[in-house]
Each structure stands twice: as structure tokens, then as C-alpha cells.
Amino acid sequence: MFKDIFNLTLLQHTIRTATPLILAALGGLLTQQAGILNIGMEGMILLGAFFAVVGSYFFGNAFVGVALAAIVGLIIGLIFALFVIDLKSDEFVIGIAINIFAGGLTVFLLRSIFGVKGAFSSPDIIPLPKINFPFMDNIKFLDIIFNNHTIFIYISWILVILTYIYLYKTPHGIWMRGAGEYPNALETAGVSPRKMKYISSIFCGIFCGLAGAHLSLGYLTLFTENMSANRGFIALAAIIFGKANPMGTFLAALLFGFFDALGIRLQVVGVPAQFTQMIPYLATIFALVFVTQRQMNKRKKNKEEAIILDE
Amino acid sequence: MERLTKNKNFEYLNSLFISIFASLLIGALIMMANGRSPLAGYGALLTGAFGSKYNIATTFAKTVPLVLTGLATAIAFRAGISNVGGEGQLYLGAFAAAYVGITFTNLPGAIGIILAIVAGALVGGAYAFFPAILKVKYDVNEVITTIMLNTVATLFTAYLVNYPFASSQGKMGGTEMIAEQFQFSRLVKLSTLNTSIFYMMIIALVIYYLMEKTSYGYDFKIVGQNNIFGRYAGIKDKNQMVIAMIISGGLCGIAGALEVFGVHYRFLQHISPGYAFDGMLIALIVNNNPIGVVLMSIFFGALKTGSVSMENSIGIPSELVSVIQSIIILFIAGEAGFKNIYKNWKMKKIAKSKVGEENV
């Protein structure tokens, strides 16, 4: 039984289920770094998943679908930014509004464009192609885990590295982090925090759109109502768990993907999946307590040191 | 002073109506893009919500959970703490009530019902207590924790009804039916309107009284608006937050209990289609005013009920209503910003025209 659960297929599934989380979380960590809590990611993913299917179905090309998903993500990111940054609305209110908007709009369009309820699948929806690396074919370990995935899996890994380099090694990335931590200092330095926040929000929308496209065109090739299924919130969890650092967030997303895949495997042998599915959410709460506790201690220490210096 | 607040109320109502009107207009445009007449669409929605005794009853049946979750959010917001976890509290409260209903089947109706409502309130309140205590003791962002706890609760109850409490009738995702003497009677034939609406009214009155007429409610208001001032005034703001959050969770738990005892007569895995999120939108739209919550809940209930017949008779998908609702909240949330932009634009125009005059 142990072998039925813990095998190479589990790792293969982990990589697959983690990918949308990684993509969405990379977008969300940019807004997080720029000082915005984006809980609208759930809706952004859902819209991406729907419009990817629309593009793929009507144009007969999966990559048109992906592009459409990214464009829709961009637009929603822009709307989010407009309300949160320029109209100064509460970010959490707008996030919730976007989630409800996405849930309603996708089902509305599902019925009015495709005339179906619940789910839409068709042989005319072209899935994302799977990439085969011939050199892996003969090595069982590599072949099962890393071979024959859609291109997005590899892209998401590259994006993790690029985001890391961007945030920590480029001036632009340092401004991005400054927009969240020291907006006033950034302003004094002649960089507009507003602009940085806009950029982060737009990229968050695009990344979430891609995450959605991978959901609907990556392996199953269909759209079902509410198919984002809390992934936006798990991505948020990964960001918080990974302290909004691309590497940490990547590992957290992989970990949460692993528990998701494990849950599905456990269900096969009759163990309820609900408990493994709870793990990301509970882990986030513990991580939050831990992180804020440490911050508080640090602040206390700084204050004490300041007092000592004053004397 | 009084005139000032009156003016403010008037201004608020004004922008509320403009927001609703603009959202309905966008809804009309969507209907037209869909090749349907907006007049026919909204006509069907209106008759669907209020056209017959049955329709009115259904509208009010939908209002019950909305009022409770709306008041729940409002009371927490007033005290300066955000309860986004209403959905989870509702699920746990509903399950607790169902547990009473299927376990203590020998109790007389009235006692069982009171027990179930109390159980729902306690469980919902307890579940809200955790994020509240994390917030005041460890400064942990309650928006995130309550969102996370939502899913934990729905997963946990899903586990309960699929494994230890699964119905013996082979129906997956639900408990057994609650005992017959507990089931609320229906007030209008075929509609789901039941006596839970009276419980809701009593609770709404109590909450109104608490929020508007007691020093307690006044303290909430001060803490919510300005907690530094509240602290100077000697109000223990942290205590207020925790208490408000427990009441908030309790109300959501009761909303769940009433759904079980009045509508489904059992706990179902998907018992709420997002009532707490709708309630949150309602509270935000009416600026946490308890009377506003009741009125806006009726409006939302009517939209929900009417949208079903709009779909059946005209063929416009009922989800249009959630799109309209989310656009209302966008407009309301952006209202102050819109006004500022308009003001700046006007000032610029005036400045420009003045510069122009000088040049002449």
C-alpha cells in the first residue's frame, strides 16, 4: 500500500498540481512586495481559465487561448490597480468584488456563449502540447517526473528564477520592494510608488491568467464552473508561507502541490482527502503567527537598543 | 451638527442610488450584448421577485441568511475588525445545529430548536474567536486567517458528512434528516419561506438595539472609527474587537442553524452558496448600518429570486445578478475616489478658464 501512494507518479502529480499555484503566487508576491494584499487572485485565475478555453476553441490554437487569458488577466489587474491605487478603495473589498464578479461572469458567459451549465468540454478545445525531451526517455526517474509536461511547467520554473533576479538584483526590483516598504523614501528618490504598484498589479493579473490557462488547457482541456477551486487562496498561502520571496514561495507552492497530490492518492486507498487539503490553510495560519511574532520581537529589541543608545 | 449628519446621509443615499442605477445600466448593456431586451429582462426579474405570493415568499426566504450574515459583518466592521470568515462559521454552526437535530431526537420541539440555535451560535462564535485572539494578541492579519479558516471549516464539515455522519440513505454529502418535531413549518406553500424569518427579525432587532442604542454599540463605533481616540476615552478596544468578532461568528452560526432547521432539514456539504460573502457585500454597501442591512438584503434576495425566473422565461443566465452585485460594490468602494478625481478635474478646468481670461 505504501508503494501505491509514495511513488514516482506522486512526484509527477506534485509538479503538475503545483504549477498553477507557482504561477499565481509569483504574480501575487509582486503585489505583496509592492505593499498590496491581493485576495482577488482567485477570480483572476478563474477568468484566465475561462478565456483560455474561449481562445483555444474559437481559434483552434492553445497559445491564442493562453494569450487571451493573459490579456484578460492584464485588464483585471489594471482595474484592480485603478480602484486600489488611484480611487483608494479598500484592497480587500475590491479583491472580494473581483472574486464574485469572476464567478458570476464566467458562468454567465459559459451559458450564453456555449449554452451549457456546469462544464464545457469539446474536441475543438486544443490542449497545450506536451514537451518531450528524448534524452530523458530512457531514464525512468527523469522520464516520469520531469518529462512530457506542458511547456508551462518549465516556464514557471524559469519565471521563479527571473522573478528572484528581478526583485533582488535589479534596481527596478529594488524599487518594487521599496514601494511596499518605504514608499516615502522611494518618492523622495524620484521613483513613483504608484507606478510600481500598477506594474505589480498588472503582472499579477497576467500571471494569474496564465495559471488559469494552465488549469483549463494544461491537462484536462475543459472549463468547469468555479474551477479555480480556492487555488488563488492557496497561492496567497504560499506567498505568506514563503515570506513573499520567490524561492520560498516556490518551495511552499511545491509543498502545497505535494499535499494536494498526496490527498488524491490517499483517497484512492480510502483515506479522506479533506485533511491533506486543509494543510496549506493551517500551515499559513501557523506561519503568520510565527512571522508576526518574530517581527514583534525584533521591533521590541530595536526599541530596547534605541533606549540603550539614548542613555 | 445634526444638519451636517443629515447632509452626509443624503449625500450617501445619493451616491448609493447612482451606484445601483449605474450597475443596473451595465447589466442592461450586457443583456443587449447578449441579444436580449433589457426591458423584458428586468421585467421578468421584477415579476419573478414580487409577481406572486409564492415569489414574494421566496424573496423573503432568501433574505433570512443575508440579514444575519450582513449584520454579522457590519458589527465586526464597526468594531474595526474584518470578519471574512463568515462562510466557515456558517458551515460549522449549521453542522452543530444538525448534530443536535439528529442526536437529541427525544427532546420536545421548542427545546431542541433553542438548543440547536444556541449550539450554532456557540460554535460559530468560537470559530471566530481564534482569528480575533490572534489579531489582538499577536497582531496577525485577520483578513487572511479568516479566509483560510473558511476552507478549513468547509473541508472539515465535508469530511464529517461523507464519513462519520454520512446519511444512511446512500445520499452522499449530507447528514440524516433532523427529527420531525424540530422542522420549521413552511409559511407559504411550495416556497421555502418558513418560521425562521421570525427568529431572524427578533435577532435583527436585538442587534439593532445593541449597535445603535447601547453604550456598547457606541464603543464599537468609536473603536472602529478611531481606536487611538477610543483608547483615550478608556475603552478597551481589544476586548471590543474580540467581543464583536464572537457576536459576528455567532450570527453566522445562527444563519447556518436556521438554514438546516428551516430549509433543508439536514446539513448538506454545500449548504451555503456564499451567503456570508453576499452578506459582506451588503454590509459594505450600506456602510454597516443595521437598517440598511435589512433593506439591502431584501434587494439582494429579490435579485436572487427574480434572476431565476429571468433565466427561465427570457433565457438570460441568472449569474448576471452576481455580476451586477459585484459592480455595485466596485462603484460604492470607488465612490470617494471618483468624486476626488471629478473635483480635481473641475478645479483644473476652472483654473484653466481663469488663466484664459487673464490672457484675454
mmCIF file of all heavy atoms in Angstrom, chain B residues 62-82:
data_model
loop_
_atom_site.group_PDB
_atom_site.id
_atom_site.type_symbol
_atom_site.label_atom_id
_atom_site.label_comp_id
_atom_site.label_asym_id
_atom_site.label_seq_id
_atom_site.Cartn_x
_atom_site.Cartn_y
_atom_site.Cartn_z
ATOM 1 N N LYS B 62 -35.016 34.048 0.979
ATOM 2 C CA LYS B 62 -33.595 34.266 0.667
ATOM 3 C C LYS B 62 -33.009 35.379 1.539
ATOM 4 O O LYS B 62 -31.794 35.473 1.698
ATOM 5 C CB LYS B 62 -33.437 34.650 -0.802
ATOM 6 C CG LYS B 62 -33.929 33.591 -1.732
ATOM 7 C CD LYS B 62 -32.837 33.118 -2.646
ATOM 8 C CE LYS B 62 -33.287 31.985 -3.385
ATOM 9 N NZ LYS B 62 -33.152 31.060 -4.134
ATOM 10 N N THR B 63 -33.902 36.242 2.045
ATOM 11 C CA THR B 63 -33.425 37.374 2.838
ATOM 12 C C THR B 63 -32.859 36.934 4.196
ATOM 13 O O THR B 63 -31.951 37.568 4.717
ATOM 14 C CB THR B 63 -34.580 38.373 3.050
ATOM 15 O OG1 THR B 63 -35.119 38.702 1.768
ATOM 16 C CG2 THR B 63 -34.114 39.626 3.723
ATOM 17 N N VAL B 64 -33.422 35.833 4.728
ATOM 18 C CA VAL B 64 -33.083 35.443 6.108
ATOM 19 C C VAL B 64 -31.574 35.276 6.332
ATOM 20 O O VAL B 64 -30.994 35.957 7.185
ATOM 21 C CB VAL B 64 -33.851 34.169 6.520
ATOM 22 C CG1 VAL B 64 -33.398 33.671 7.886
ATOM 23 C CG2 VAL B 64 -35.347 34.442 6.521
ATOM 24 N N PRO B 65 -30.891 34.413 5.575
ATOM 25 C CA PRO B 65 -29.448 34.277 5.843
ATOM 26 C C PRO B 65 -28.661 35.543 5.510
ATOM 27 O O PRO B 65 -27.630 35.815 6.143
ATOM 28 C CB PRO B 65 -29.013 33.115 4.940
ATOM 29 C CG PRO B 65 -30.063 33.007 3.905
ATOM 30 C CD PRO B 65 -31.337 33.487 4.520
ATOM 31 N N LEU B 66 -29.168 36.315 4.528
ATOM 32 C CA LEU B 66 -28.442 37.525 4.140
ATOM 33 C C LEU B 66 -28.447 38.561 5.256
ATOM 34 O O LEU B 66 -27.427 39.198 5.532
ATOM 35 C CB LEU B 66 -29.037 38.125 2.860
ATOM 36 C CG LEU B 66 -28.926 37.263 1.609
ATOM 37 C CD1 LEU B 66 -29.552 37.965 0.411
ATOM 38 C CD2 LEU B 66 -27.466 36.932 1.316
ATOM 39 N N VAL B 67 -29.608 38.742 5.906
ATOM 40 C CA VAL B 67 -29.686 39.709 7.001
ATOM 41 C C VAL B 67 -28.707 39.315 8.108
ATOM 42 O O VAL B 67 -27.944 40.142 8.616
ATOM 43 C CB VAL B 67 -31.119 39.793 7.567
ATOM 44 C CG1 VAL B 67 -31.140 40.569 8.874
ATOM 45 C CG2 VAL B 67 -32.055 40.441 6.556
ATOM 46 N N LEU B 68 -28.710 38.021 8.457
ATOM 47 C CA LEU B 68 -27.866 37.587 9.569
ATOM 48 C C LEU B 68 -26.385 37.730 9.243
ATOM 49 O O LEU B 68 -25.599 38.262 10.040
ATOM 50 C CB LEU B 68 -28.196 36.135 9.946
ATOM 51 C CG LEU B 68 -29.584 35.969 10.563
ATOM 52 C CD1 LEU B 68 -29.935 34.501 10.721
ATOM 53 C CD2 LEU B 68 -29.654 36.662 11.923
ATOM 54 N N THR B 69 -25.973 37.289 8.060
ATOM 55 C CA THR B 69 -24.554 37.405 7.721
ATOM 56 C C THR B 69 -24.179 38.872 7.484
ATOM 57 O O THR B 69 -23.058 39.280 7.791
ATOM 58 C CB THR B 69 -24.192 36.575 6.476
ATOM 59 O OG1 THR B 69 -25.060 36.934 5.402
ATOM 60 C CG2 THR B 69 -24.315 35.096 6.745
ATOM 61 N N GLY B 70 -25.130 39.650 6.969
ATOM 62 C CA GLY B 70 -24.866 41.076 6.765
ATOM 63 C C GLY B 70 -24.655 41.785 8.095
ATOM 64 O O GLY B 70 -23.693 42.544 8.256
ATOM 65 N N LEU B 71 -25.539 41.514 9.069
ATOM 66 C CA LEU B 71 -25.370 42.128 10.393
ATOM 67 C C LEU B 71 -24.072 41.651 11.039
ATOM 68 O O LEU B 71 -23.374 42.413 11.715
ATOM 69 C CB LEU B 71 -26.561 41.782 11.290
ATOM 70 C CG LEU B 71 -27.882 42.464 10.940
ATOM 71 C CD1 LEU B 71 -29.010 41.905 11.809
ATOM 72 C CD2 LEU B 71 -27.790 43.974 11.121
ATOM 73 N N ALA B 72 -23.756 40.378 10.795
ATOM 74 C CA ALA B 72 -22.525 39.818 11.372
ATOM 75 C C ALA B 72 -21.306 40.593 10.880
ATOM 76 O O ALA B 72 -20.447 40.980 11.674
ATOM 77 C CB ALA B 72 -22.389 38.344 10.982
ATOM 78 N N THR B 73 -21.256 40.834 9.575
ATOM 79 C CA THR B 73 -20.115 41.578 9.050
ATOM 80 C C THR B 73 -20.123 42.998 9.563
ATOM 81 O O THR B 73 -19.084 43.550 9.929
ATOM 82 C CB THR B 73 -20.153 41.624 7.515
ATOM 83 O OG1 THR B 73 -20.671 40.397 7.026
ATOM 84 C CG2 THR B 73 -18.785 41.849 6.944
ATOM 85 N N ALA B 74 -21.332 43.609 9.586
ATOM 86 C CA ALA B 74 -21.434 45.010 9.980
ATOM 87 C C ALA B 74 -20.929 45.226 11.391
ATOM 88 O O ALA B 74 -20.182 46.167 11.660
ATOM 89 C CB ALA B 74 -22.881 45.475 9.850
ATOM 90 N N ILE B 75 -21.311 44.335 12.297
ATOM 91 C CA ILE B 75 -20.951 44.556 13.706
ATOM 92 C C ILE B 75 -19.438 44.424 13.888
ATOM 93 O O ILE B 75 -18.813 45.181 14.647
ATOM 94 C CB ILE B 75 -21.744 43.601 14.633
ATOM 95 C CG1 ILE B 75 -21.818 44.197 16.033
ATOM 96 C CG2 ILE B 75 -21.163 42.218 14.691
ATOM 97 C CD1 ILE B 75 -22.880 43.557 16.889
ATOM 98 N N ALA B 76 -18.815 43.509 13.138
ATOM 99 C CA ALA B 76 -17.358 43.363 13.232
ATOM 100 C C ALA B 76 -16.664 44.583 12.631
ATOM 101 O O ALA B 76 -15.765 45.153 13.237
ATOM 102 C CB ALA B 76 -16.905 42.084 12.532
ATOM 103 N N PHE B 77 -17.119 44.998 11.468
ATOM 104 C CA PHE B 77 -16.519 46.173 10.816
ATOM 105 C C PHE B 77 -16.606 47.393 11.710
ATOM 106 O O PHE B 77 -15.680 48.179 11.807
ATOM 107 C CB PHE B 77 -17.238 46.481 9.505
ATOM 108 C CG PHE B 77 -16.748 45.683 8.337
ATOM 109 C CD1 PHE B 77 -17.595 45.336 7.298
ATOM 110 C CD2 PHE B 77 -15.428 45.284 8.262
ATOM 111 C CE1 PHE B 77 -17.149 44.604 6.209
ATOM 112 C CE2 PHE B 77 -14.959 44.549 7.178
ATOM 113 C CZ PHE B 77 -15.829 44.206 6.156
ATOM 114 N N ARG B 78 -17.764 47.549 12.363
ATOM 115 C CA ARG B 78 -17.949 48.699 13.252
ATOM 116 C C ARG B 78 -16.885 48.736 14.332
ATOM 117 O O ARG B 78 -16.428 49.786 14.729
ATOM 118 C CB ARG B 78 -19.321 48.596 13.936
ATOM 119 C CG ARG B 78 -20.417 49.174 13.121
ATOM 120 C CD ARG B 78 -20.773 50.568 13.613
ATOM 121 N NE ARG B 78 -21.795 51.129 12.774
ATOM 122 C CZ ARG B 78 -23.033 51.367 13.190
ATOM 123 N NH1 ARG B 78 -23.370 51.118 14.437
ATOM 124 N NH2 ARG B 78 -23.917 51.864 12.372
ATOM 125 N N ALA B 79 -16.517 47.532 14.802
ATOM 126 C CA ALA B 79 -15.515 47.486 15.866
ATOM 127 C C ALA B 79 -14.096 47.478 15.310
ATOM 128 O O ALA B 79 -13.134 47.302 16.038
ATOM 129 C CB ALA B 79 -15.750 46.260 16.739
ATOM 130 N N GLY B 80 -13.982 47.643 13.984
ATOM 131 C CA GLY B 80 -12.661 47.761 13.393
ATOM 132 C C GLY B 80 -11.960 46.446 13.134
ATOM 133 O O GLY B 80 -10.742 46.396 13.034
ATOM 134 N N ILE B 81 -12.712 45.365 13.032
ATOM 135 C CA ILE B 81 -12.102 44.071 12.729
ATOM 136 C C ILE B 81 -12.880 43.456 11.569
ATOM 137 O O ILE B 81 -14.105 43.553 11.522
ATOM 138 C CB ILE B 81 -12.060 43.157 13.984
ATOM 139 C CG1 ILE B 81 -11.256 41.890 13.713
ATOM 140 C CG2 ILE B 81 -13.441 42.827 14.505
ATOM 141 C CD1 ILE B 81 -10.859 41.154 14.987
ATOM 142 N N SER B 82 -12.171 42.875 10.616
ATOM 143 C CA SER B 82 -12.839 42.341 9.431
ATOM 144 C C SER B 82 -13.080 40.852 9.588
ATOM 145 O O SER B 82 -12.142 40.090 9.768
ATOM 146 C CB SER B 82 -11.984 42.570 8.189
ATOM 147 O OG SER B 82 -11.621 43.920 8.107
#
